[in-house]
Amino acid sequence: MTLNRTVLLRLNSQGEPVVALSYGKGVLTLPSVPLPPRTPKGTPLFTVKLVITAGSKVSRDGLVWTNCPPDSDTEFDRHSFYKKPVGATFHKDDQIDLDIFRPGPYCFYLSFRNREGRLETTRKFYFVAPPILHVDGKLIKLDSVNLQTVVSKWMGEDWDAVFEKIAAKKYNMIHFTPLQRRGHSNSPYSIYDQLEFDPDYFSSAEEVKQMVHRLHTKYKALTLTDVVFNHTADNSKWLREHPESGYNAITAPHLIPAIELDGALLQFSKQMGQLGYPTDLHSLDDLKHVMEGINTHVMEVVRLWEFYVVDVRGTLEQLKGHWCKVNAHPELEVQLDSNSPAHEVARYIREHATVRPFGLLGARFANKVDIPKFGSVLQKLYGKDWNQDILSKAQEILNDLNLPLYTEYDNDTREIKNQLYNRIKYLRLDEWGPRQGPVNDRFPLTEPYFTRFKANDGEDYALANNGWIWASDPLIDFASSKSKAYLRREVIVWGDCVKLRYGGGPGDSPYLWKRISNYVIQSATIFDGFRIDNAHSTPLHVAEYFLDLARKVNPNLYVVAELFSGSEQMDCLFVERLGLSCLIREAMQAWTEGELSGLLHKNGGRPIGSYRFVPMDNFSYDKDIQLDENYCYQNTSDGTMKCVSEIMIPRILTAVPPRALLMDCTHDNETPTQKRTVEDTLPNAGLVALCSSAIGSTFGYDEIFPKLLNLVTESRTYDIHGSSGIGKVKSLLNDIREEINELSIDVEDSEAYVHHDEQYITFLRSDVKTGKGWYLIARMKFSENQSDQKLEPQTFAHTTVKSLFSYSLEKTGEFIDDPRSLRGVPTKLVELEGSQIHFDGNSKISTVTLPDYFPQGSIAVFETQHLGVDKDLDHFIRSGAIKAVGELDLITLNTLLYHSDQEENDITGGAIGSYNIPNFGKLVYCGLQGWISVLRGVIFNNDLAHPLSENLRQGIWALDYLIGRLDHCSQEPGVAAAQDWLRSRFDRIKQLPFFLRPSYFALAVAIIYGTCRLRAVQLMADMIGKSTLFVQSLAMTSIQMVTKMRSTSIYPDRMVPSMAAGLPHFSTGWARCWGRDVFISLRGLLLTTGRFDVAEDHILAFAKTLKHGLIPNLLDSGNNPRYNARDAAWFFIQAVQDYIDIVPNGESILQKKVTRRFPLNDTYVPVEDPRAFQHTSTVEEIIYEIFNRHASGIKYREANAGPRLDRVMSDQGFNVEIRVDWSTGFIHGGSQSNCGTWMDKMGESERAGSYGVPGTPRDGAAVEIIGLLKSSLRFVNELNKRGLFKNTEVKREDGSRITFSEWEQLIQDNFEKKFYIPKDHKNDSQYDVSANLVNRRGIYKDLYRSGKPYEDYQLRPNFTIAMTVAPELFTPELALGALNIADEVIRGPIGMKTLDPSDYNYHPYYNNGEDSDNFATSKGRNYHQGPEWVWLYGYFLRAFYKFHFVTNPACQSRDRKNPSSYLYQELSHRIDLHSQWIATSPWAGITELTNKDGEFCSDSSPSQAWSTACLLDMYHDLWVSFEK
């Protein structure tokens, strides 16, 4: 595997390919790029690298199964699958290489164990490696194929003369209708012998090979032949020897009624005159009379109902004879009784007592009941004595059993009559039909559906003829037992072709499979490609088998198909299963100019100005990934596939719509002369020629043949010396296609714009890399006598135009039929002059004005060049970004990438805010992420109509904004270089045509964004730089949340970066930094990402403000900190503990000194007071002070208490008291008037009477605080043992002392006794439980000894914090039980329900704007009473994996040292939606909370620091413990 032949295919967490939608429905298709010269044998043509999301559900015992052969020597067998194990790591996406050694269709699927432990597989996913075509050493790209169809029997004696004429028109492929010996009808598609070429032209297959070789070398043309799998000529000799190769009464007994009906119709056709019915139909009355005859002499005679129903009389006779032998049947459990209605008994009989298969057609009365079972049921219900009542009951049941069968018969009979009526009407009466005339042996009343003959075995056979059906399901063989098309007369039948019966595989019809295999091998050996005739009626497994066989002979076989499936989805299925190169489409199928323009739009190329794919925030970046400034440069000579940027991520395997072979006209459809006009031949051909697809034409189109030629009856030959029609123009158009072929490298290189204006269709085809284009104006002539129309002058912005040629097709005479030659309508090409081109140098606008004489049937072709676009532009924009961002640090990356509207306004003093896109709104970020969040979807869907696309086309405001907003910070590290890169690229983009601006803007923004993201992970810790997209996206929120502000800092005397609690709600001023939020988030956002300096700053800044033994809830730069958080001090100590645990030499922080914001007593002083910052403490001393103040009791009234501090707090609420209950060691605090934990919502509604009433006071001992206290005590005790913490004891309120070890043990001894609620009430005596307050058992209390005792017993997620930081407090089995309950009851899709749904206080919808009479919810008082908070999800997951790992063997690897793939699967299952959330959120973060079951909450902060931080914590745990 080499990078430049590798394509990536990303799989989502379900194991399904992630595919862009910019092309609509499509097939995963590899490029058609040959290997470089002198490539060693055995080198893969391509390597498809599957990227499997780390820890996804498919990684548990996961295997990738693929039919890609393991090496170049192993033949491809689509049914042979090779397995590749999926790695079970949780941090690194697994990559599995599928080497492709030859073109064709391939597939893979995954097997894995699901969450229930059962083996599960995904569906099969297909991708196609297209053929690589060469003719005489020259590469022919697939979209440059230009094909001419010839019908062999019309070629005449001098085939080379025809080839010369085709070569002169510059076609590069010739399509031959079947060259095999034809059947008696003389149709090329009714093949008499598949293994014999037409003896009129070829004496052997070798002569055909020589002809093909001559076409390759002399005429530079590839060859394509029809292959016919579906049928053979009705007179094929080999069919008499092997009638089992067709559908007959023996091989397909379900056709017996159809055979009998068809025979009766033929007999009636012969006897019509004798029976008094008209044989020459002239009116609907005649037809009505004939239909009466069919009813009398066919339908009544055939008695079709006998093929449907059970023979009631015969069955009753059998039943009577068998009655005495009937016994209770062991298989039957009859849940009926003698009073059950007959129709219910009949339904039971059909389901349990009929001979299988029941309900299918076959011989007369083939549907039967199982007599022993039927009798057993009757005896159970009605007794064992045979009598008249039993007989009557049996007859009633059988009649009811037959009722739906008679209904089916009635429906089918109606359809048979309807189909016969319409078909006879078409054949005899309709103006558009063939009007066959009198009924006779040659033209019977209706076509025979079966070919009848006596076979070599002496038996008479009737074999189903082939045909087609309107809107049929191509996956159903309409001659099989799954269809009644032959009986219902739904087939438009071809009487000269017998349908071939392949069955399920070679074993069902061995001779047929062998014969057609030889036919396929011979054809693939000689020709370069196949056209599969009637592909939609070819059984899929049959086509798969024979195309696989053909590719063994000719790996680069070009395969096109005539496919009328009726849906894009079905088209894709055929293409991916068969590896089709393209599907035939036809311009002459368009009935209007508008319809034609739509067809051209679909096949012309991507719309001009289309967005191009670049990895953005949808890829993980390995911090050690290779970089190469020149690697994005495309060199067509070496056969490589270059990356799209300097970051060497391989190309992405893309789903593209099935390629088209767009024919201007096919050999089996009407010509322009018939369907439109003679003159329309030229513009129709010109428009097709410019399409970005393979194109083709039938011989005679260019020569202006007047009508569709009958493949069966036509016997004349091509006139090669007559008028060339539009051949000269075709040659010129094909020269243009050749030039495009040389320029085009990638599927993204070709763009087109099609416009329809009544008679005019204009078509611009453009090469993206060079800006060169071709513009065609076509004036159509769909019909005669259309009004005159002038085309308005055509303008081209920033584009030069040069005239190439202009022609009109004029009819010069009436067509005269030649009895020997096939000739065209007399015409001439008239060269048109007088097109005017004006270029305005000031506006850089070109104007094209057509001459006055530009009649219908004309084209004008121009060469265009977009100004500013040259072959170096693309590389210029894609390169240099790595160097440009190389000096950015993580703070200036925040500047370049983020800044919410509020932050930008704050930093710039209101000078700059978010960019506002008209008709869309403001971007959520001013930096690149704001644009990427929009462009992500715009590029994915190629949304050129998006308001951003329109804004970019209308002006350069966005470009100026992105450069200008960096002026205020250009002196910061690395910003100027990044700004210069943007400015230089945007300067070039400003010179481009306005319609290209969105594409190039998006390209430039995506390129630099990707390099910024790479720069970010390179600056972060290995866990981030070596991890998954999800982990890296979580880590990017560390940059998102930390920046330098103007209105706030973490220090009162200097501006340094500070962490926002969330964006945008908590982004500026006093609302930015919250003690609790900072220290909950610090480990995940700062430590796991390696941002140790920022983490230290935050620890020291908050340490400065310690007061009352507490860390402030609100910091406000240290100016006016507020102390109303009982838990922040303990999250602070936990953060210090994490810092020491993670940071190298982290213990040194203990001796870092801080100047204290306040005096060491409880005196409050303003920041400017001389007493401020007079005392110095180390962090060690700060920690000790927290312990000591709590041990001795804390009691104070908040400084500045009153409405100015908190407008809704009651006066009592400002009083804070915290103490330790030394019987347990638990810290108790708070009151019913305040809320000192994170659940701090205060009632605000005067209307509801909740003003000043906390929603969740949580006074008493809060479970998470006790867990944090235990963790902190363990921490200082361990430090003490290492000589890093000098104090060993604290003074209690009564003056006594207690050691940290004793305090820790006190909590250890009491925690579960006080907090656990046993599953079994019989164990209540072992715990502190009031049974009358218990709502749910097997859980841990949320509180102990709160002011409302019932609140102790509420199930909330806070216990998971304690489990995570102090797992030693919990008995593992009890903890696991509680976690499992939480998993089932309060775990939401994204967050943790903050209250048990069974609690009467549960109100899961948060609406802070609600002002109602509802005490519980008005003004959002239920903030923490049910809404689902995300940050707790991280703690839950950490506890979940820890306790599952230690208690559940299924969660351990075999050596019990690592988590099992099952545990990873369970974790992945629980974070899958988080991954989706951050990937799709415009904020590129995860919300603060959701409403019930993950519903969006509009009042939630859309990106919250602790939401992502706590998930990173979980990943860090696993990384450090098991993966590092």
Side-chain angles (χ1 to χ4, degrees), residues 1083-1280:
R1083 182 178 188 263
L1085 290 193
L1086 301 180
L1087 297 180
T1088 72
T1089 58
R1091 305 187 68 181
F1092 305 145
D1093 55 341
V1094 181
E1096 180 180 305
D1097 262 346
H1098 280 74
I1099 290 171
L1100 297 179
F1102 275 90
K1104 289 170 74 73
T1105 58
L1106 184 74
K1107 183 176 173 62
H1108 312 298
L1110 299 177
I1111 293 293
N1113 186 21
L1114 283 167
L1115 181 64
D1116 191 20
S1117 304
N1119 293 318
N1120 300 293
R1122 185 178 179 194
Y1123 297 87
N1124 60 337
R1126 305 198 320 267
D1127 53 0
W1130 305 110
F1131 280 116
F1132 169 83
I1133 297 177
Q1134 185 65 42
V1136 175
Q1137 182 180 173
D1138 294 332
Y1139 181 94
I1140 291 173
D1141 182 48
I1142 293 173
V1143 178
N1145 302 313
E1147 314 87 50
S1148 62
I1149 198 173
L1150 292 170
Q1151 301 311 315
K1152 292 286 176 74
K1153 294 182 178 180
V1154 294
T1155 55
R1156 301 289 291 274
R1157 164 68 180 81
F1158 295 101
L1160 298 186
N1161 56 29
D1162 285 350
T1163 303
Y1164 180 87
V1165 296
V1167 69
E1168 64 276 6
D1169 191 291
R1171 291 172 290 175
F1173 307 111
Q1174 293 303 303
H1175 299 278
T1176 301
S1177 301
T1178 64
V1179 172
E1180 178 189 359
E1181 290 166 345
I1182 294 290
I1183 293 172
Y1184 179 73
E1185 186 174 331
I1186 292 170
F1187 280 113
N1188 203 44
R1189 286 300 303 269
H1190 280 77
S1192 59
I1194 297 171
K1195 187 174 182 179
Y1196 65 94
R1197 181 172 174 81
E1198 284 195 70
N1200 302 314
R1204 293 184 62 184
L1205 179 64
D1206 192 328
R1207 64 179 177 80
V1208 295
M1209 181 81 78
S1210 68
D1211 185 72
Q1212 180 63 31
F1214 292 110
N1215 299 326
V1216 178
E1217 186 170 356
I1218 303 171
R1219 62 179 181 81
V1220 177
D1221 178 354
W1222 291 110
S1223 67
T1224 60
F1226 296 171
I1227 294 174
H1228 292 247
S1231 70
Q1232 287 291 304
S1233 299
N1234 57 32
C1235 33
T1237 71
W1238 79 272
M1239 291 182 164
D1240 56 359
K1241 181 65 176 178
M1242 185 66 72
E1244 301 179 41
S1245 176
E1246 293 179 347
R1247 176 177 173 181
S1250 65
Y1251 201 87
V1253 181
T1256 44
R1258 299 190 74 229
D1259 55 324
V1263 66
E1264 74 276 16
I1265 292 179
I1266 307 310
L1268 288 162
L1269 171 62
K1270 173 63 170 66
S1271 174
S1272 299
L1273 288 164
R1274 183 189 66 234
F1275 169 55
V1276 294
N1277 282 324
E1278 289 172 354
L1279 289 177
N1280 183 266

Side-chain angles (χ1 to χ4, degrees), residues 810-822:
E810 290 186 5
K811 182 179 177 182
T812 59
E814 295 302 320
F815 173 73
I816 302 174
D817 217 356
D818 187 311
R820 293 187 301 275
S821 298
L822 297 169

Side-chain angles (χ1 to χ4, degrees), residues 544-776:
E544 285 178 330
Y545 180 92
F546 290 130
L547 289 179
D548 290 350
L549 184 62
R551 289 188 176 103
K552 289 180 181 179
V553 176
N554 182 357
N556 284 300
L557 189 73
Y558 183 70
V559 184
V560 305
E562 180 189 40
L563 185 65
F564 306 111
S565 70
S567 78
E568 289 184 23
Q569 186 175 358
M570 192 63 71
D571 285 349
C572 291
L573 184 144
F574 272 79
V575 170
E576 68 183 15
R577 294 281 291 273
L578 303 182
L580 300 178
S581 307
C582 52
L583 301 178
I584 296 171
R585 299 291 182 253
E586 186 182 3
M588 285 306 300
Q589 292 293 332
W591 287 96
T592 65
E593 295 92 338
E595 192 177 339
L596 176 59
S597 67
L599 185 65
L600 297 170
H601 177 78
K602 188 171 184 178
N603 297 289
R606 303 182 80 212
I608 284 184
S610 285
Y611 291 98
R612 286 170 281 170
F613 170 81
V614 180
M616 294 178 288
D617 56 357
N618 46 5
F619 278 83
S620 60
Y621 295 92
D622 190 313
K623 67 187 304 181
D624 297 325
I625 194 170
Q626 289 180 281
L627 305 172
D628 184 345
E629 186 168 335
N630 291 311
Y631 204 77
C632 56
Y633 186 76
Q634 186 75 51
N635 181 351
T636 58
S637 63
D638 63 0
T640 60
M641 298 182 301
K642 302 300 183 182
C643 297
V644 297
S645 76
E646 302 163 297
I647 304 171
M648 291 170 63
I649 294 176
R651 290 287 179 125
I652 306 303
L653 183 55
T654 306
V656 296
R659 281 187 166 97
L661 170 57
L662 183 60
M663 306 287 290
D664 49 28
C665 187
T666 61
H667 64 286
D668 50 7
N669 277 310
E670 293 178 323
T671 66
T673 307
Q674 286 175 287
K675 194 169 183 179
R676 301 177 190 167
T677 66
V678 169
E679 293 84 353
D680 201 65
T681 303
L682 177 59
N684 186 69
L687 291 168
V688 168
L690 277 197
C691 283
S692 177
S693 68
I695 66 167
S697 186
T698 185
F699 193 95
Y701 178 90
D702 301 339
E703 291 71 27
I704 326 294
F705 283 8
K707 63 179 181 180
L708 169 65
L709 299 171
N710 191 307
L711 288 171
V712 176
T713 60
E714 184 60 69
S715 59
R716 292 172 293 175
T717 58
Y718 298 131
D719 176 13
I720 57 171
H721 303 295
S723 169
S724 60
I726 63 168
K728 177 182 177 181
V729 177
K730 270 290 180 77
S731 176
L732 294 172
L733 291 167
N734 289 335
D735 282 338
I736 291 174
R737 287 183 61 82
E738 176 65 19
E739 187 174 356
I740 295 172
N741 179 37
E742 293 299 323
L743 288 175
S744 180
I745 298 168
D746 191 278
V747 68
E748 292 185 340
D749 289 349
S750 184
E751 295 184 344
Y753 176 72
V754 180
H755 180 69
H756 166 229
D757 181 3
E758 297 185 31
Q759 298 168 18
Y760 288 91
I761 297 176
T762 57
F763 191 158
L764 176 60
R765 174 86 182 272
S766 177
D767 178 68
V768 172
K769 293 286 198 314
T770 64
K772 188 172 183 179
W774 294 265
Y775 184 65
L776 184 144

Side-chain angles (χ1 to χ4, degrees), residues 915-922 946-948 950-952 954 957:
Y915 189 83
N916 184 48
I917 301 173
N919 301 313
F920 180 80
K922 281 191 171 186
H946 192 278
L948 175 57
E950 183 61 24
N951 181 250
L952 288 163
Q954 288 180 353
W957 310 290

Side-chain angles (χ1 to χ4, degrees), residues 286-414:
D286 289 344
L287 177 55
K288 182 178 179 182
H289 192 191
V290 169
M291 290 305 299
E292 291 170 354
I294 288 175
N295 196 55
T296 302
H297 300 287
V298 176
M299 303 305 291
E300 292 181 8
V301 171
V302 175
R303 303 191 312 278
L304 282 178
W305 65 85
E306 293 182 354
F307 294 100
Y308 290 78
V309 302
V310 173
D311 180 3
V312 174
R313 183 178 298 174
T315 301
L316 292 175
E317 288 295 326
Q318 284 183 280
L319 181 65
K320 182 178 178 181
H322 192 81
W323 189 258
C324 59
K325 304 173 186 175
V326 170
N327 294 307
H329 203 283
E331 296 178 13
L332 297 178
E333 294 183 9
V334 184
Q335 304 295 326
L336 304 167
D337 57 39
S338 59
N339 295 319
S340 298
H343 68 270
E344 289 187 9
V345 180
R347 184 166 59 244
Y348 180 85
I349 295 299
R350 175 159 187 156
E351 293 172 356
H352 301 285
T354 51
V355 177
R356 301 297 178 191
F358 186 83
L360 294 182
L361 297 178
R364 295 181 188 274
F365 298 125
N367 285 320
K368 301 178 183 296
V369 297
D370 184 313
I371 297 298
K373 289 183 179 179
F374 185 37
S376 177
V377 172
L378 292 173
Q379 289 191 4
K380 178 173 177 58
L381 296 180
Y382 311 116
K384 296 189 175 182
D385 296 331
W386 180 261
N387 53 46
Q388 186 60 40
D389 288 342
I390 293 284
L391 181 63
S392 297
K393 281 289 185 184
Q395 184 170 354
E396 184 182 5
I397 291 166
L398 290 173
N399 286 337
D400 277 349
L401 179 64
N402 276 339
L403 191 58
L405 302 176
Y406 274 115
T407 300
E408 184 181 356
Y409 157 75
D410 289 339
N411 292 336
D412 289 345
T413 301
R414 277 193 297 272

